[in-house]
Amino acid sequence: MVASSLRLARGRLAVLVSFSASLCVPATVLLGCGGAQEPAASMPAPVPAVSLSLPSLVGTPVPATTAPTVDDARAFLALVDKDIHDLWSRRDRAAWVSLTYITDDTESLAAAGEQATAEYVTKKVQEAKRFDGLALPPDLARQMKLLRLAQVVPAPSDPAKARELASVEAVMTGAYGKGEYCPPATSKLLPYLKKGEKCLHLEELDAVLQKSHDVQALTEAWNGWHATARPQRERFEKYVALGNDGAKELGFDDLGALWRAGYDMPPADFEADVERLWTEVKPLYDELHCYVRAKLREKYGKDVVPEHGLIPAELLGNMWAQDWGSLQDLVVPYKGEPSLDVSKALVATKVDAKGMVKIGESFFTSLGFDPLPASFWERSMFTRPRDREVVCHASAWDVTWSDDLRIKMCIEPTMDDLLVIHHELGHDFYYSQYYKLPILFQANGANDGFHEAIGDTIALSVTPQYLKDRGLLAALAPSDKRDRSRTNALMKRALEKVAFLPFGLLIDKWRWDVFSGKTPENQLDASWWALKAKYQGVAPPEARTEGDFDPAAKYHVAASTPYIRYFLAFVYEFQFHRALCKAAGWTGPLDQCSIYGNKAAGEKLRAMLALGGSKPWQDAMEVVTGERKADASAILEYFEPLRAWLKDQIKDEKCGW
């Protein structure tokens, strides 16, 4: 699935007293591999105080006046633009190093950079209050609004609390990257160990879930990874308290309210709109769940998979049950039909990691985008280094906010990673279209869901015809079997896209309730599994207690990355795809359309991307689709041929749970 790119708030090396800053990227960058186990002490030592002489890092403050003017506001924002560009760049340089070379020192540098950035943004938000009530031109008014939302986790004004928050965030992320499970001598997971290794990282443990059908091995792999999250609980509780303090100082009820305020509509309206979209797509998910449960029951028996109940999470082929794509061989509608998985072709042609990225780049250049800069190929991390710990979770970056494009991945020659590459490059090509705008218009694009959707929109054009034209697929299915091949392809995509929808929704629903206090501290894991049951219809392999902390077994929780963007993205991408196919002159079935090589579609896409965050997302949506609201009808249209088949397959099943 998403190997996304969340630009939490990234950083670079800032200095004064040898200070290297790090930032966590604003909303645009991350998804995919990584691990997390933290030894010994459950709480990090505070980051040493760093003396930042702000005048040496930022411009001279704009003097306050008793009656501020539009010119005062313009000068204030010009200073903020310069300072934030500098601070975010410093922060992101340090963040990049901390994720590609994990040590205690790089974690501390990352924390210091995040602290400096958060403190500055919090200070400027407070200063900006003097412009409240002043009639501003639209571009200045929007920058003022985005300044208030610029920090994913705003720092409390108390310097000690700000340092503690930055330290906790850095250690949670680093702990995830260090996570591993060391199986005992009697373990069934020993064959998954790499030569000379004694422990398994997340990639190897997830591979067990993808490939094994041994319930004991699946359960051990699932438990092994989720155990790495237990030490994160105390840190997370401290992070919630400190993050809420920072959000309240900015005038929000809690951190979740701040996150929900970033969608150009009142937070309550946004929540209602998300529920509207879920209500529209839920029947499709329920049908898929019913069918997959029946096939798993056939495989594992009624004692393991109930006839009418929750699916055991360890059986769904993914550590978080968010992507069921590895079940394709088990649930494929028509066995024996040619596979569209080109993993074997990638191995056979000996294409390396850079070569796979070149394939992704060529799709964007076929639409009229400029090639990636030379620095991208020099500075990116394409494979897992053998000499140090890294966070493999795939992410895309513009490290210095100046077209310094990169991706961070541990690429394997698989179809899944090829699609992840398209996703991450979507972020990078988005950055490339708006990096000259004021910095506050760069943080999230039109909104963070747009940023996640762009690369996946492109991936929807990776059709059988496209794969054949690129030499990755030997031949298309014969015409008399094409409908069967199409149904198989739609099933595979549904296992990746439709299966993800409730997961994309529940992570932030859980966090919003934790931030608001609706979920008490003694119910953190129980509330997580209640939402997993309600929305996904899945259950843990074994009973859980409050000694567990399963939410932090997911990168985005450990790394404080808002997640509702992914749910939105999985709706947006089909809406964008339908509109771009129309621009390309396509009149056939939506699932058969590829815009590869179509300059008209590319021009429309670039026009939207170039807006960055300078306009409300509804305006950006209108540029491509002619519509001003999210619309789930496109995803339903895309999967309609599969739904007709599914309904026939489950007519005798007792669906639901």
Side-chain angles (χ1 to χ4, degrees):
M1 147 203 139
V2 258
S4 201
S5 298
L6 243 118
R7 193 150 142 170
L8 318 171
R10 313 173 318 213
R12 148 164 102 200
L13 289 68
V15 170
L16 241 242
V17 191
S18 230
F19 159 68
S20 248
S22 132
L23 178 106
C24 200
V25 248
T28 324
V29 174
L30 301 139
L31 209 74
C33 84
Q37 184 173 18
E38 172 70 7
S42 60
M43 287 299 294
V47 176
V50 178
S51 173
L52 288 180
S53 173
L54 285 179
S56 71
L57 291 176
V58 301
T60 304
V62 177
T65 64
T66 54
T69 66
V70 171
D71 286 342
D72 291 335
R74 183 174 287 107
F76 171 82
L77 286 169
L79 175 64
V80 166
D81 183 80
K82 176 181 178 298
D83 292 347
I84 289 184
H85 192 283
D86 185 51
L87 285 168
W88 282 2
S89 296
R90 294 173 187 273
R91 176 195 63 182
D92 289 4
R93 282 189 184 277
W96 175 266
V97 174
S98 74
L99 296 175
T100 59
Y101 205 112
I102 301 174
T103 68
D104 291 343
D105 289 331
T106 60
E107 285 179 2
S108 293
L109 293 174
E114 182 59 39
Q115 176 193 339
T117 301
E119 289 179 351
Y120 177 83
V121 170
T122 298
K123 177 183 177 183
K124 290 304 173 184
V125 170
Q126 297 295 343
E127 291 180 11
K129 289 180 180 179
R130 69 191 180 95
F131 299 109
D132 289 353
L134 181 63
L136 295 174
D139 64 322
L140 299 185
R142 186 158 183 81
Q143 287 183 71
M144 288 291 186
K145 173 185 176 180
L146 294 177
L147 173 62
R148 192 164 176 248
L149 302 170
Q151 193 66 22
V152 174
V153 185
S157 56
D158 181 331
K161 287 185 176 182
R163 285 195 299 273
E164 186 176 14
L165 174 61
S167 180
V168 169
E169 287 187 279
V171 173
M172 283 198 302
T173 304
Y176 188 97
K178 296 172 186 174
E180 59 185 13
Y181 170 65
C182 305
T186 57
S187 172
K188 291 192 173 186
L189 303 187
L190 297 180
Y192 293 90
L193 286 168
K194 292 182 178 179
K195 187 175 181 180
E197 298 287 341
K198 296 182 178 180
C199 299
L200 297 163
H201 289 95
L202 174 58
E203 307 97 279
E204 291 92 27
L205 293 169
D206 207 35
V208 177
L209 298 186
Q210 293 171 23
K211 298 174 183 178
S212 177
H213 294 302
D214 183 319
V215 175
Q216 287 185 320
L218 295 172
T219 300
E220 183 183 357
W222 192 96
N223 282 331
W225 177 252
H226 282 71
T228 68
R230 289 173 186 150
Q232 299 278 44
R233 184 177 184 127
E234 186 180 351
R235 299 174 194 135
F236 184 82
E237 290 172 356
K238 179 59 67 175
Y239 150 82
V240 170
L242 294 169
N244 276 344
D245 285 349
K248 288 174 182 176
E249 288 186 23
L250 298 185
F252 296 95
D253 291 339
D254 55 61
L255 192 54
L258 185 153
W259 289 2
R260 295 191 300 277
Y263 294 95
D264 295 306
M265 59 176 68
D269 291 353
F270 173 67
E271 286 190 77
D273 205 46
V274 167
E275 284 297 330
R276 170 184 66 84
L277 293 170
W278 169 242
T279 299
E280 292 174 4
V281 299
K282 186 178 184 297
L284 171 58
Y285 177 80
D286 289 349
E287 291 157 4
L288 181 67
H289 181 281
C290 189
Y291 172 74
V292 168
R293 184 177 60 193
K295 301 300 287 187
L296 289 172
R297 189 170 64 247
E298 288 179 14
K299 175 68 178 179
Y300 295 104
K302 295 179 181 179
D303 291 341
V304 176
V305 182
E307 290 190 25
H308 182 70
L310 305 176
I311 300 175
E314 73 276 16
L315 304 183
L316 288 166
N318 173 269
M319 191 59 72
W320 311 279
Q322 70 182 50
D323 178 335
W324 305 349
S326 62
L327 299 182
Q328 174 73 355
D329 289 345
L330 185 63
V331 305
V332 63
Y334 298 104
K335 295 186 182 296
E337 297 299 321
S339 173
L340 297 180
D341 188 330
V342 298
S343 300
K344 291 181 179 179
L346 292 169
V347 172
T349 56
K350 297 182 179 180
V351 62
D352 62 8
K354 280 191 176 182
M356 289 174 64
V357 179
K358 285 285 187 183
I359 293 172
E361 179 194 36
S362 68
F363 201 119
F364 288 90
T365 56
S366 83
L367 300 177
F369 288 86
D370 292 335
L372 293 163
S375 59
F376 171 88
W377 303 101
E378 298 162 359
R379 299 170 182 172
S380 292
M381 185 186 88
F382 299 116
T383 57
R384 176 187 278 278
R386 292 297 179 192
D387 61 342
R388 61 187 190 270
E389 294 287 353
V390 302
V391 173
C392 271
H393 187 95
S395 58
W397 302 64
D398 178 357
V399 173
T400 61
W401 303 74
S402 58
D403 216 28
D404 182 6
L405 306 177
R406 310 180 194 182
I407 63 170
K408 174 182 63 63
M409 282 185 68
C410 299
I411 298 173
E412 299 289 343
T414 67
M415 178 74 167
D416 286 344
D417 274 10
L418 183 63
L419 294 177
V420 169
I421 287 166
H422 283 77
H423 174 93
E424 298 305 336
L425 292 184
H427 290 294
D428 275 347
F429 279 101
Y430 204 161
Y431 300 147
S432 74
Q433 299 305 298
Y434 63 56
Y435 74 92
K436 295 182 180 179
L437 294 176
I439 193 72
L440 290 169
F441 292 157
Q442 295 186 43
N444 291 311
N447 70 35
D448 51 14
F450 273 61
H451 237 298
E452 299 303 330
I454 299 307
D456 283 352
T457 298
I458 297 301
L460 291 178
S461 284
V462 179
T463 61
Q465 186 64 55
Y466 165 79
L467 293 171
K468 181 177 182 298
D469 292 345
R470 299 306 306 273
L472 294 172
L473 192 64
L476 297 175
S479 57
D480 61 331
K481 294 186 176 182
R482 202 152 294 173
D483 283 346
R484 291 187 171 196
S485 179
R486 179 189 183 192
T487 302
N488 283 359
L490 283 169
M491 175 61 77
K492 179 169 175 53
R493 186 146 273 165
L495 294 171
E496 297 162 354
K497 299 292 183 181
V498 178
F500 173 80
L501 291 169
F503 184 80
L505 190 65
L506 69 87
I507 285 189
D508 276 354
K509 278 187 166 291
W510 177 81
R511 280 192 291 201
W512 294 342
D513 285 349
V514 173
F515 292 145
S516 71
K518 182 178 177 181
T519 296
E521 288 187 356
N522 65 354
Q523 293 293 314
L524 296 185
D525 215 64
S527 63
W528 172 259
W529 284 105
L531 288 171
K532 294 274 282 184
K534 176 181 177 180
Y535 285 98
Q536 281 188 289
V538 304
E542 297 176 350
R544 314 304 284 166
T545 73
E546 290 304 312
D548 298 303
F549 190 49
D550 297 313
K554 180 62 181 169
Y555 175 84
H556 300 75
V557 174
S560 187
T561 301
Y563 208 77
I564 199 69
R565 66 190 66 187
Y566 300 111
F567 173 79
L568 295 173
F570 276 38
V571 175
Y572 291 164
E573 68 185 76
F574 291 91
Q575 194 171 356
F576 293 157
H577 180 63
R578 180 170 64 184
L580 292 172
C581 288
K582 182 178 179 181
W586 178 261
T587 58
L590 195 55
D591 64 291
Q592 300 295 297
C593 170
S594 177
I595 63 169
Y596 178 74
N598 191 281
K599 298 297 193 292
E603 182 177 358
K604 180 161 280 204
L605 179 60
R606 291 198 310 277
M608 181 184 78
L609 303 187
L611 291 176
S614 64
K615 303 287 184 183
W617 69 262
Q618 294 89 341
D619 292 352
M621 175 72 77
E622 191 171 21
V623 168
V624 165
T625 68
E627 303 158 345
R628 294 188 61 80
K629 72 173 187 176
D631 181 6
S633 67
I635 190 172
L636 298 177
E637 177 184 344
Y638 187 95
F639 287 107
E640 183 53 40
L642 178 65
R643 292 192 74 184
W645 183 89
L646 278 173
K647 288 175 182 177
D648 184 60
Q649 301 301 306
I650 61 177
K651 61 181 183 293
D652 296 325
E653 286 288 323
K654 186 179 180 183
C655 296
W657 56 88

